[in-house]
Amino acid sequence: MLCARIGIALTLVSLIGTGCTNEVEASAKTGNAIDLAAAANEAAADIGNYAAVAAVPADEQAAGDVVRGMFAALVDRRWRDARLDWRDPANMGRVERERDGYERFIAEVGRAVADRSVDAMTVPLEIVATAAGGRQMLYTGEATLQRGRSGDRAWKIERIDLSPAIPVRVDAVYRCADGRSLTVVFDNRRQTALADMGRTTWRLEQQRVASGIGYSGQGAELRGQGRDADWRVPGQPPLRCSVT
């Protein structure tokens, strides 16, 4: 509809510019009068809206680049450079402390999303931090950016909210009620698990549950709370298992 109105407006402008008034007069005689002023005003508004929408991807890219640049400085421990990307550098404290505690610190920056207005953006984050001994921890969260409504329009980081760190990989061995062992390798980054019992391996996908853990796939299901879990596979009764 937007493109159609813009096309109509451009046609009308062309008619006016070339002096083609006969067609307009003919339309008026048949009762199909064209309100040129209203059409032009409506099309101008549509063109303005179209331009504003088209500009959003550039804003998303710019906001994402600020976050990527800040984390690049953090990785190299260039604290002063990293602080330049914050509206209030004092808010960088937790992120700086977290990075300083690890040997490696890799941030994956997602696509920025406008937050109610084009002057605020949120950018999803996923951080994999590696300790000196090789243990990897996973953080997820988001960065919130703002820019001034006048004057300096550069994007600045307002805050970064991160979840508590969890291990990227967790290996667990369950002892089940029938005496068999169930070995599960949890991949918290990919939100998957590999469950092995005997000579059979199942690939499970993490499921949304109210509390505890929930994974299912290939007909199998693992649900648990704390150290206990229920293991179900097709054709067999459910098993109660506990981490050894």
Side-chain angles (χ1 to χ4, degrees):
M1 187 65 181
L2 169 60
C3 293
R5 287 208 296 262
I6 293 174
I8 291 171
L10 294 175
T11 301
L12 292 174
V13 170
S14 176
L15 287 172
I16 294 170
T18 56
C20 296
T21 57
N22 292 337
E23 290 85 346
V24 176
E25 290 173 358
S27 295
K29 289 178 182 178
T30 59
N32 296 323
I34 300 174
D35 189 341
L36 296 179
N41 289 337
E42 188 174 15
D46 284 337
I47 292 171
N49 291 336
Y50 181 81
V53 171
V56 169
D59 289 333
E60 292 173 354
Q61 182 66 42
D65 286 346
V66 169
V67 179
R68 278 184 281 271
M70 192 278 297
F71 274 106
L74 274 183
V75 167
D76 295 335
R77 290 186 167 89
R78 292 183 284 111
W79 312 121
R80 181 175 297 179
D81 291 342
R83 292 188 189 102
L84 294 176
D85 290 318
W86 289 76
R87 185 172 299 279
D88 182 356
N91 292 338
M92 194 181 83
R94 184 200 168 187
V95 180
E96 183 177 336
R97 289 190 299 272
E98 295 290 354
R99 190 276 168 264
D100 206 31
Y102 293 97
E103 289 289 314
R104 298 182 63 202
F105 200 77
I106 301 174
E108 222 175 80
V109 179
R111 181 177 177 179
V113 178
D115 185 13
R116 297 186 181 179
S117 77
V118 294
D119 292 320
M121 291 275 181
T122 57
V123 179
L125 299 170
E126 183 180 88
I127 298 169
V128 176
T130 306
R135 182 175 173 82
Q136 291 187 317
M137 303 297 289
L138 176 69
Y139 297 85
T140 57
E142 64 182 20
T144 301
L145 297 89
Q146 291 186 341
R147 65 180 178 183
R149 295 182 180 275
S150 60
D152 185 3
R153 297 281 287 164
W155 289 103
K156 295 290 184 180
I157 299 170
E158 187 74 22
R159 68 177 189 273
I160 290 180
D161 300 306
L162 295 176
S163 65
I166 60 173
V168 170
R169 169 178 166 150
V170 176
D171 297 345
V173 178
Y174 292 85
R175 177 68 65 182
C176 298
D178 64 355
R180 289 185 293 173
S181 294
L182 173 67
T183 302
V184 184
V185 178
F186 297 95
D187 188 327
N188 287 316
R189 189 177 188 188
R190 294 183 175 85
Q191 298 183 338
T192 61
L194 286 177
D196 181 85
M197 180 175 274
R199 296 181 179 179
T200 306
T201 300
W202 294 264
R203 180 180 174 83
L204 312 176
E205 303 286 337
Q206 189 177 62
Q207 306 299 314
R208 187 181 296 275
V209 293
S211 62
I213 63 169
Y215 291 82
S216 64
Q218 298 179 303
E221 182 181 52
L222 179 70
R223 289 185 178 271
Q225 185 82 39
R227 301 179 63 85
D228 300 321
D230 292 317
W231 173 243
R232 295 179 174 85
V233 293
Q236 298 183 25
L239 283 174
R240 187 68 168 175
C241 306
S242 299
V243 174
T244 58

